[in-house]
Amino acid sequence: MRFKNGFEIHCRLQWAGRVFLVLLLPSVLAKTASKTKMSMKYYDIKACDNVVHYFRILKLDYRMFDGADFIDADCYVGVDVKYLKVMNVLLYRCLGGVGPNHCEYFTRLIWTTSLCELATAKSMLWTPLVDKITPTFRCPYKAGFHQVRNATLDLSSFEKQGFRLPWEKYIWKVHCQVSNELDQIGLCFNGTFEVRRVLVRKDS
């Protein structure tokens, strides 16, 4: 009788333990997933050479910190800006390399409304870059030299705005143009980058 009762108690404890694990597993997985973040790996960033524009990159360096690449750059914008009229971004995805036979057109993103306010808004894709520009960028803007230090892009913010793309499956090529109120291209560059998942350090 004791053995039978003991056996029944043992079975019930096993069943209760399994139920507890099933209930606990989603929260454990969620905590594990939250310990990673999207980081940028930059392969090249160059001023456009196939359109007329007023943007020059005088110096550009990449450095890695905490699993992500950051940019230090000296740039010159040779045109005044009363307000920003259009930002045009072309994305190409590449698989197995970045040659002509490895890349294909993926999508075009265009912004045309309140771009001066949008450029300096917080929690945007470009916020970790714009915030690192010296002198501070704002409209109206006078032509001149700028320094960018310890800058990157935040694709997690991009995803929160609804742009969920298969970032980690491909290497990406980007073409970006920003025009002023006179349709003069004040910013134009081509870049190649990759998105990686890295562990978040406890002290970060």
Side-chain angles (χ1 to χ4, degrees):
M1 190 69 176
R2 289 180 181 176
F3 176 79
K4 182 179 180 181
N5 289 341
F7 180 74
E8 289 178 353
I9 292 172
H10 177 69
C11 289
R12 289 175 182 175
L13 287 174
Q14 279 190 327
W15 179 83
R18 290 172 182 172
V19 171
F20 176 75
L21 287 175
V22 170
L23 295 175
L24 181 64
L25 186 59
S27 63
V28 172
L29 291 176
K31 289 181 179 179
T32 302
S34 67
K35 293 181 181 179
T36 64
K37 64 180 179 180
M38 301 174 74
S39 66
M40 303 292 294
K41 170 64 180 176
Y42 301 102
Y43 291 105
D44 66 74
I45 300 174
K46 298 178 180 178
C48 301
D49 58 6
N50 56 348
V51 296
V52 177
H53 63 88
Y54 298 88
F55 177 67
R56 285 188 290 156
I57 299 175
L58 306 175
K59 183 180 179 181
L60 179 65
D61 293 311
Y62 311 96
R63 55 193 177 84
M64 179 176 285
F65 175 75
D66 199 18
D69 278 359
F70 291 83
I71 299 168
D72 293 338
D74 296 339
C75 307
Y76 179 77
V77 178
V79 64
D80 292 343
V81 175
K82 184 177 180 180
Y83 64 87
L84 299 175
K85 184 177 180 180
V86 179
M87 180 164 66
N88 190 353
V89 176
L90 287 171
L91 277 176
Y92 299 83
R93 62 184 184 185
C94 308
L95 191 61
V98 293
N101 296 328
H102 296 92
C103 302
E104 62 179 2
Y105 169 81
F106 183 72
T107 192
R108 178 193 297 266
L109 304 171
I110 299 177
W111 290 266
T112 59
T113 304
S114 303
L115 276 181
C116 284
E117 292 78 9
L118 196 62
T120 55
K122 301 303 179 183
S123 301
M124 302 297 293
L125 161 70
W126 46 78
T127 298
L129 191 152
V130 175
D131 282 354
K132 302 297 184 179
I133 297 176
T134 305
T136 302
F137 174 82
R138 62 172 60 91
C139 297
Y141 166 87
K142 287 292 185 182
F145 291 92
H146 284 276
Q147 287 187 333
V148 180
R149 295 292 182 267
N150 196 32
T152 189
L153 298 175
D154 182 9
L155 288 179
S156 62
S157 296
F158 199 53
E159 286 197 330
K160 291 175 184 177
Q161 298 166 32
F163 298 100
R164 297 189 176 275
L165 303 180
W167 295 116
E168 297 158 82
K169 295 182 180 180
Y170 303 95
I171 296 174
W172 297 88
K173 299 183 75 172
V174 59
H175 173 78
C176 178
Q177 291 185 16
V178 181
S179 303
N180 67 1
E181 70 283 356
L182 300 176
D183 292 321
Q184 297 169 313
I185 302 174
L187 175 67
C188 188
F189 68 86
N190 297 305
T192 306
F193 67 91
E194 188 176 0
V195 180
R196 299 173 178 176
R197 292 274 180 184
V198 297
L199 291 175
V200 177
R201 299 190 310 178
K202 292 182 179 180
D203 58 348
S204 62

